[in-house]
Amino acid sequence: MSIYQKYGLKQIINASGKMTALGGSAVDTKVAQAMFEAAQDYVDIQELMLKAGRIIAEITTAEDACPTVGAAAGIAISIAALIAGKNLTLIEQLPYSEGLRNEVIIQKGHSINFGASILQMIRLGGGKVVEVGQTNYVEKNHIIDAISEKTVAIFYVKSHHAVQKGMLSLPEIIEIGEENNIPIIVDAAAEEDIQKYIQMGADLVIYSGGKAIEGPTSGFICGKKELIEACRLQYKGIGRAMKVGKEQIMGLISALEIYKNKVENIEKQLQQVQWIVNQFQNIDGITASVVQDEAGRTIYRAQLKFDEEKLNISTHEIIKQLERGEPAIFTRNHYANLGIISIDPRPLLPGQEKIIVNRIKEILRV
């Protein structure tokens, strides 16, 4: 029995991915041990923040870094740092930023909801959002035309949630930023490559510690030294409501130390999803296939497309029954309106793929 069942919470099989709604990641024993030891002792938090920043910077190849309580907090803190800088009076004034250089340009297809509105995270930091282009189409001139003397940043979202077609690429956005001396912030919360965007020339890059990195609920901002110094100072302002604890910081560092040496076994991942797909071959009403992550990451999932008329059940009803079962099974349901669910093998514990397959077949009576 896990600690959650001890307190009457339902057992979960996570086939959805490293999702905040399901608790992010299940951490390595070494990460849990680091958090356990950190919780039982004292430390100078300012010294810890600086030391952690140097460690994170080395791993990400950035000039400096700042731990956060999560990627969403990283967005608000990054925006606040660019608006208020190191001016304590302005730091204490935020999120009220009237009269300051506070406009943040974002492509309309990047105005996503990741469980909350990304635009709200920008506003929490004092940013005034300037959306450009259309949901599925943005040109360079849309960005150029939106730049004014009040533009403080261009915000780029690298996520499967964002529109993948018709948007300007990050290299194009960085080029615009360099030509106009405007900082580029990249939200790379769930991205696996923690060096790529810094090396491309982004000024600030934000990551979640609890997704690809498989750490605790945490995150970090990495980037230019001067900007990161301003990010740390925001803990005297809006960041105080988002402060990150010693346990989270040590867990994050431990997870990053493991992650930098991790070799992802893509072949094993493919074998696992192919096995799942094979269990549904030749079943009338189900089309099963192996698909790659929408945002181009080296993540492969088993995708099941249901013919609702032939199966005489809606996809939403299948999902509902999976989640109401014992254990409750959570699949990836971004395309449920199209009759599609996906199974992400990464969070699965040994043998859980068999439970999922049997439960779906039981629901469908096939």
Side-chain angles (χ1 to χ4, degrees):
M1 178 185 290
S2 81
I3 192 167
Y4 298 115
Q5 278 77 71
K6 176 183 175 182
Y7 288 98
L9 296 163
K10 60 187 175 185
Q11 183 184 356
I12 298 292
I13 292 179
N14 177 9
S16 179
K18 296 169 185 179
M19 313 291 285
T20 298
L22 296 177
S25 295
V27 303
D28 186 277
T29 303
K30 291 178 182 177
V31 175
Q33 183 64 30
M35 296 176 71
F36 175 77
E37 292 180 16
Q40 294 190 312
D41 206 347
Y42 299 94
V43 68
D44 183 320
I45 295 295
Q46 289 303 314
E47 184 183 10
L48 177 59
M49 292 285 285
L50 289 168
K51 182 64 174 179
R54 286 195 291 270
I55 294 170
I56 296 167
E58 183 179 349
I59 293 171
T60 61
T61 71
E63 292 179 10
D64 201 354
C66 175
T68 65
V69 75
I75 295 171
I77 288 170
S78 295
I79 298 297
L82 290 178
I83 293 172
K86 302 177 186 180
N87 185 315
L88 183 58
T89 300
L90 296 181
I91 289 169
E92 293 176 342
Q93 177 181 311
L94 294 179
Y96 179 77
S97 64
E98 198 65 36
L100 302 176
R101 190 178 175 208
N102 65 352
E103 292 183 357
V104 179
I105 296 172
I106 185 170
Q107 299 181 86
K108 190 162 285 189
H110 287 190
S111 296
I112 63 168
N113 185 299
F114 59 93
S117 166
I118 204 161
L119 302 187
Q120 185 177 28
M121 300 306 110
I122 292 171
R123 294 187 187 108
L124 281 172
K128 181 180 179 182
V129 177
V130 179
E131 293 183 83
V132 298
Q134 286 77 48
T135 304
N136 64 341
Y137 186 70
V138 178
E139 288 191 21
K140 182 176 180 179
N141 280 343
H142 285 127
I143 304 281
I144 299 297
D145 294 344
I147 294 173
S148 73
E149 69 280 353
K150 298 199 73 177
T151 303
V152 74
I154 302 175
F155 195 89
Y156 188 92
V157 180
K158 188 70 179 76
S159 169
H160 65 277
H161 290 299
V163 174
Q164 302 299 317
K165 64 175 184 177
M167 299 294 105
L168 291 178
S169 67
L170 181 54
E172 290 173 304
I173 293 294
I174 289 172
E175 183 180 351
I176 294 170
E178 289 173 347
E179 289 172 351
N180 294 273
N181 196 30
I182 298 171
I184 305 301
I185 303 174
V186 178
D187 172 13
E191 288 297 291
E192 298 180 306
D193 193 327
I194 57 175
Q195 298 180 347
K196 179 178 180 178
Y197 306 111
I198 286 294
Q199 294 174 358
M200 287 174 69
D203 297 280
L204 291 173
V205 186
I206 302 155
Y207 289 93
S208 168
K211 294 191 170 66
I213 295 163
E214 297 184 333
T217 299
S218 59
F220 60 88
I221 311 160
C222 54
K224 301 290 174 61
K225 185 174 181 60
E226 188 76 10
L227 299 180
I228 293 296
E229 287 175 356
C231 286
R232 279 194 288 267
L233 284 171
Q234 304 312 306
Y235 282 107
K236 294 187 175 183
I238 64 157
R240 183 67 178 183
M242 313 166 189
K243 64 184 179 184
V244 57
K246 58 187 179 182
E247 305 90 347
Q248 292 162 298
I249 295 173
M250 293 310 299
L252 172 63
I253 292 172
S254 179
L256 279 166
E257 292 284 359
I258 295 168
Y259 188 74
K260 71 177 181 179
N261 298 314
K262 184 178 179 182
V263 178
E264 195 68 53
N265 192 338
I266 302 301
E267 190 60 37
K268 181 182 177 183
Q269 190 183 122
L270 281 167
Q271 288 175 358
Q272 195 170 13
V273 295
Q274 188 61 60
W275 181 86
I276 295 169
V277 165
N278 290 344
Q279 307 314 303
F280 294 98
Q281 297 294 344
N282 305 317
I283 295 179
D284 195 29
I286 304 176
T287 303
S289 58
V290 176
V291 297
Q292 189 175 355
D293 178 71
E294 305 96 313
R297 295 175 294 174
T298 52
I299 298 169
Y300 295 89
R301 303 183 179 98
Q303 179 177 281
L304 305 179
K305 182 171 175 55
F306 302 112
D307 185 324
E308 296 178 347
E309 288 190 10
K310 283 185 179 178
L311 296 168
N312 197 32
I313 187 172
S314 73
T315 303
H316 289 290
E317 180 59 29
I318 295 169
I319 293 166
K320 188 185 297 183
Q321 290 195 36
L322 284 170
E323 293 180 0
R324 285 180 176 175
E326 183 57 49
I329 298 170
F330 285 79
T331 51
R332 195 173 184 86
N333 306 322
H334 299 311
Y335 301 107
N337 61 310
L338 302 176
I340 294 171
I341 67 170
S342 296
I343 297 166
D344 191 322
R346 295 173 302 154
L348 297 180
L349 301 178
Q352 289 186 337
E353 67 274 14
K354 295 178 182 178
I355 298 173
I356 295 167
V357 167
N358 290 337
R359 182 64 183 133
I360 292 173
K361 288 183 175 181
E362 180 184 303
I363 292 168
L364 297 178
R365 298 179 182 176
V366 295

